[in-house]
Amino acid sequence: MDSTHPGPVYRTVTDPSGMLALQTFGRPDGEDMVFRISGSVYANIPGDALKPDIPHGRKLFGIEGYNIRRLYRVPGTDRLHQLSREIVCYTDPGDPVRVLREWTNPLDGRTYPVVPINNDAVNFGPFPITPAFAGPPVRRLHDETVWTSDIAVRADYGATLGETFGLVGGVYTAQEMFEFQVDDREVAARTVPGEIPDGAMKVKVSWTRTAPWAPFMGLAESEVRGQLTYRAHAWSLDSYADVEPWLRAEVEAHHPLYTAAPDEPGPSQNSWTSFHAKQLDKGAMTWAGWCAAHGRP
């Protein structure tokens, strides 16, 4: 067994909620798993102030993609990392399998290239794993075990990246809310003390995010009052091979790095730091300069 294999450490966990939490981070057998993501993005406009150009509640995009992840053990320790990459395409709001390549901002009339969520990597950890390791509190609803994770996100990109992205004060704020649901039969089969389950646990996830305009949209939060609300479902798949052919074709043609999880721990990205690194060349170009250069009249 590889020295980075999570199984020996996972086997020591005795708390069922800890076993469930770890199985959302990755497969205990050490192979890649996928959370397939599918949903929509809506305009959230205080006072409906941007109508008729962007009415409050308008569905602006679909989102289709996945996070591919695995558990990684720091050799010789009881510490585990979740290693992952995330690729999520913005799609036509009326056709979820048509990936958008460009979007016309109705406020300035300019057409911008659509940049997908492409985060390499999205890593968490290390987590010390002892027999007392426990996950978040769970509850039973009918025949499912349910738990939540709500995250208030704040990042001062003006200070850390030297780029404000048009955000108020250069500070990114968002709210992310997750709900995990696992059938009770799945829970019973996959929380046997001392066993290393094969494959990915069957889990459903509901995800909601309220956040500023995506950076490719050419909208400065400090000037255009409004937000995006992301609402999506995710479900676990055993591997990349289980992703639908149309989405695999898109990834392999345009984003081939995202067919596998990372091999080892490293820095993480989100939509904004990824945009800064890949579109702004780590600050060689400003966000305002990118908008001016890429927005076509």
Side-chain angles (χ1 to χ4, degrees):
M1 186 178 290
D2 188 298
S3 63
T4 66
H5 195 289
V9 176
Y10 174 87
R11 188 184 281 125
T12 68
V13 177
T14 59
D15 185 275
S17 72
M19 296 182 200
L20 294 175
L22 284 175
Q23 289 184 71
T24 65
F25 297 159
R27 288 172 48 162
D29 59 15
E31 300 297 321
D32 284 1
M33 67 175 282
V34 166
F35 269 114
R36 174 74 169 86
I37 301 164
S38 179
S40 302
V41 185
Y42 300 89
N44 183 3
I45 314 297
D48 205 8
L50 301 181
K51 67 177 185 182
D53 297 318
I54 307 179
H56 174 68
R58 171 170 286 178
K59 182 178 176 179
L60 298 176
F61 311 106
I63 47 172
E64 299 290 336
Y66 61 83
N67 176 291
I68 187 164
R69 60 179 60 192
R70 70 184 183 93
L71 287 172
Y72 171 96
R73 178 188 181 185
V74 180
T77 75
D78 65 356
R79 291 177 292 156
L80 293 181
H81 289 258
Q82 176 202 293
L83 308 181
S84 76
R85 292 188 171 104
E86 195 164 70
I87 180 72
V88 181
C89 300
Y90 290 93
T91 64
D92 186 301
D95 184 356
V97 301
R98 189 172 81 83
V99 176
L100 293 180
R101 310 296 179 193
E102 58 184 24
W103 179 75
T104 300
N105 178 338
L107 299 182
D108 65 11
R110 296 173 69 85
T111 298
Y112 296 90
V114 174
V115 179
I117 297 169
N118 60 122
N119 300 330
D120 173 37
V122 184
N123 296 333
F124 297 99
F127 307 99
I129 306 300
T130 68
F133 178 83
V138 302
R139 57 179 178 159
R140 291 190 66 244
L141 297 178
H142 298 300
D143 56 354
E144 293 185 318
T145 296
V146 177
W147 68 98
T148 61
S149 176
D150 298 335
I151 306 168
V153 184
R154 182 189 186 280
D156 188 341
Y157 293 134
T160 60
L161 299 178
E163 173 57 65
T164 68
F165 293 103
L167 298 167
V168 175
V171 176
Y172 171 86
T173 56
Q175 185 74 31
E176 304 234 18
M177 293 164 281
F178 299 86
E179 182 176 89
F180 299 83
Q181 298 171 282
V182 184
D183 182 273
D184 282 346
R185 292 167 295 182
E186 184 79 349
V187 171
R190 300 185 68 90
T191 56
V192 179
E195 289 191 3
I196 301 174
D198 290 329
M201 180 173 68
K202 294 178 181 177
V203 55
K204 297 176 290 185
V205 185
S206 175
W207 170 61
T208 302
R209 175 168 76 182
T210 299
W213 308 111
F216 72 81
M217 296 174 71
L219 292 169
E221 179 189 54
S222 58
E223 300 173 5
V224 182
R225 190 179 180 198
Q227 294 180 314
L228 297 177
T229 297
Y230 293 71
R231 188 176 188 277
H233 291 93
W235 58 98
S236 57
L237 300 172
D238 267 341
S239 70
Y240 172 73
D242 295 320
V243 175
E244 302 99 303
W246 77 266
L247 185 51
R248 292 203 313 270
E250 172 69 19
V251 170
E252 289 160 19
H254 301 285
H255 310 281
L257 182 66
Y258 294 82
T259 59
D263 293 326
E264 58 186 23
S268 285
Q269 291 185 335
N270 59 34
S271 297
W272 298 80
T273 61
S274 174
F275 194 96
H276 183 264
K278 297 162 189 167
Q279 302 299 316
L280 305 186
D281 193 16
K282 299 182 179 179
M285 174 182 283
T286 66
W287 174 76
W290 184 93
C291 293
H294 290 81
R296 294 188 288 103

